[in-house]
């Protein structure tokens, strides 16, 4: 439940309820409504700028979104080096689409269940998409992601699941049936990337995802980023592929691909990419 105390916003982490919470100062509430699928609020915070929360859970902020979106996108894209067809499930704020379109792709298909998230983020947080929805390579579909991958006959080089936590409309995106459909929709040696929460608090979520991915992919594990507004330390991004060598692309090759791409980043570097697959012991044991 979302609670307001004058100028404070109380959020929570999925599965923890009020056992642990985070609190943001609210400079101004810009928009709030219950959409067809979820409760949505966009407010302004003095440190993080504009903040999007869905069902009481912080999704992204203008201040630190790059730490999430850059790692979600550039790790698989530079690991492959030649991805042309990319599928994004979720990602209505537009940040994942923005970063993907910085690469030399032919088409990026984005499937988002809630049109209101796209519209409101374009209105109140336009820096996140930065015009990505107008790019002719972007194909935005308003639909249920699990239904789309179950029915499509298209094949993708990379599939990125930029979802909420496993509750509400995002719950079906953590099932073995969904992962099986993603595998069918990937080219041989392609990569599936998923949002897998903060292992310190949500270790069971990461462990369950690894268990459900394992029957379908030869190499299922995670890599790490740190997003200040996602409290709890490291954030896990799920990685699944049949090509185990993709996660150990030599650093000199990553540097050459990054230099050739010719764009600047705020979090991602080739060295961070290479190191992100090195797990602290308490996280490594969850995906073994």
């Amino acid at each position: 439940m979302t609670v307001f105390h004058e100028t404070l916003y109380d959020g929570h982490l999925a599965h923890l309820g009020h056992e642990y919470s985070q609190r943001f100062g609210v400079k101004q509430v810009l928009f709030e409504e219950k959409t067809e699928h979820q409760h949505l609020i966009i407010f302004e915070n003095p440190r993080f700028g504009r903040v999007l929360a869905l069902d009481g859970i912080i999704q992204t902020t203008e201040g630190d979104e790059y730490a999430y979106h850059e790692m979600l996108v550039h790790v698989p894209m530079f690991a492959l080096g030649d991805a042309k067809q990319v599928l994004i499930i979720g990602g209505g704020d537009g940040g994942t689409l923005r970063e993907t379109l910085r690469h030399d792709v032919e088409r990026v298909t984005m499937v988002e269940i809630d049109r209101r998230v796209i519209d409101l983020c374009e209105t109140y947080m336009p820096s996140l998409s930065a015009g990505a929805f107008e790019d002719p390579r972007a194909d935005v579909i308003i639909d249920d992601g699990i239904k789309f991958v179950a029915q499509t006959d298209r094949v993708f080089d990379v599939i990125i699941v930029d979802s909420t936590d496993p509750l509400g409309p995002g719950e079906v995106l953590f099932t073995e049936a969904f992962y099986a459909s993603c595998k069918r929709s990937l080219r041989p040696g392609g990569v599936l990337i998923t949002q897998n929460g903060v292992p310190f608090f949500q270790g069971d979520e990461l462990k369950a995802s690894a268990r459900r991915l394992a029957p379908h992919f030869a190499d299922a594990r995670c890599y790490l980023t740190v997003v200040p507004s996602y409290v709890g330390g490291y954030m896990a991004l799920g990685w699944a592929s049949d090509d185990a060598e993709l996660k150990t692309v030599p650093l000199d090759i990553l540097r050459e691909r990054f230099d050739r791409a010719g764009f600047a980043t705020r979090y991602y570097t080739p060295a961070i990419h290479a190191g992100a697959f090195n797990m602290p012991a308490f996280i490594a044991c969850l995906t073994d």
Side-chain angles (χ1 to χ4, degrees):
M1 179 178 179
T2 303
V3 182
F4 285 93
H5 300 284
E6 296 181 331
T7 59
L8 295 176
Y9 175 80
D10 283 350
H12 66 272
L13 293 176
H15 315 306
L16 292 180
H18 294 289
E19 176 185 337
Y20 190 91
S21 67
Q22 59 184 162
R23 178 171 287 186
F24 286 76
V26 178
K27 183 177 179 181
Q28 180 183 6
V29 175
L30 300 170
F31 191 89
E32 183 176 15
E33 79 170 22
K34 178 70 171 67
T35 75
E36 180 183 352
H37 301 282
Q38 55 208 331
H39 175 268
L40 180 153
I41 184 171
I42 298 173
F43 62 89
E44 194 160 351
N45 171 269
R47 177 168 294 275
F48 287 97
R50 295 186 175 187
V51 179
L52 168 67
L54 298 174
D55 289 334
I57 301 170
I58 301 300
Q59 301 299 310
T60 193
T61 83
E62 289 178 324
D64 65 359
E65 56 83 18
Y66 59 88
Y68 173 71
H69 291 125
E70 289 184 9
M71 291 298 284
L72 193 69
V73 172
H74 301 319
V75 170
M77 296 299 287
F78 284 124
L80 277 174
D82 62 351
K84 298 297 183 184
Q85 298 287 332
V86 179
L87 173 64
I88 300 169
I89 301 295
D93 58 69
T96 298
L97 181 64
R98 178 200 74 216
E99 291 300 313
T100 306
L101 288 168
R102 300 178 82 185
H103 292 265
D104 183 22
V105 293
E106 294 173 356
R107 185 180 185 186
V108 182
T109 301
M110 176 178 149
V111 183
E112 165 63 50
I113 196 171
D114 196 340
R115 177 80 223 186
R116 291 293 282 165
V117 176
I118 295 175
D119 292 342
L120 292 168
C121 284
E122 278 199 286
T123 299
Y124 294 101
M125 304 177 77
S127 65
L128 269 67
S129 57
F133 291 111
E134 306 305 318
D135 192 300
R137 297 171 295 165
D139 178 19
V140 179
I141 299 170
I142 305 304
D143 201 354
D144 183 342
I146 194 167
K147 184 174 76 172
F148 178 87
V149 294
Q151 296 177 351
T152 187
D153 58 1
R154 294 177 56 200
V155 176
F156 302 91
D157 303 306
V158 176
I159 298 176
I160 299 172
V161 184
D162 182 4
S163 68
T164 59
D165 286 325
L167 71 167
E171 186 173 6
V172 294
L173 302 179
F174 291 78
T175 63
E176 187 172 340
F178 174 69
Y179 295 148
S181 294
C182 288
K183 171 63 181 294
R184 182 184 58 80
S185 299
L186 275 176
R187 83 176 200 200
V191 183
L192 169 66
I193 303 296
T194 63
Q195 183 277 113
N196 263 123
V198 180
F200 184 81
F201 288 121
Q202 298 165 296
D204 288 345
E205 175 184 319
L206 177 58
K207 194 170 187 177
S209 292
R211 185 179 68 248
R212 293 166 185 161
L213 286 163
H216 306 287
F217 294 90
D219 187 37
R221 56 193 63 248
C222 73
Y223 61 100
L224 301 176
T225 187
V226 179
V227 185
S229 58
Y230 297 165
V231 293
Y234 290 115
M235 181 178 192
L237 302 174
W239 166 282
S241 178
D242 284 337
D243 185 351
E245 294 185 1
L246 282 177
K247 68 179 183 299
T248 57
V249 175
L251 183 56
D252 61 334
I253 294 178
L254 292 174
R255 283 175 174 152
E256 189 276 330
R257 291 173 178 172
F258 182 63
D259 290 344
R260 188 171 66 243
F263 56 75
T265 52
R266 298 181 66 189
Y267 188 103
Y268 176 93
T269 68
I272 287 289
H273 176 147
F277 288 92
N278 295 315
M279 300 290 109
F282 81 95
I283 300 176
C285 68
L286 299 173
T287 58
D288 290 341

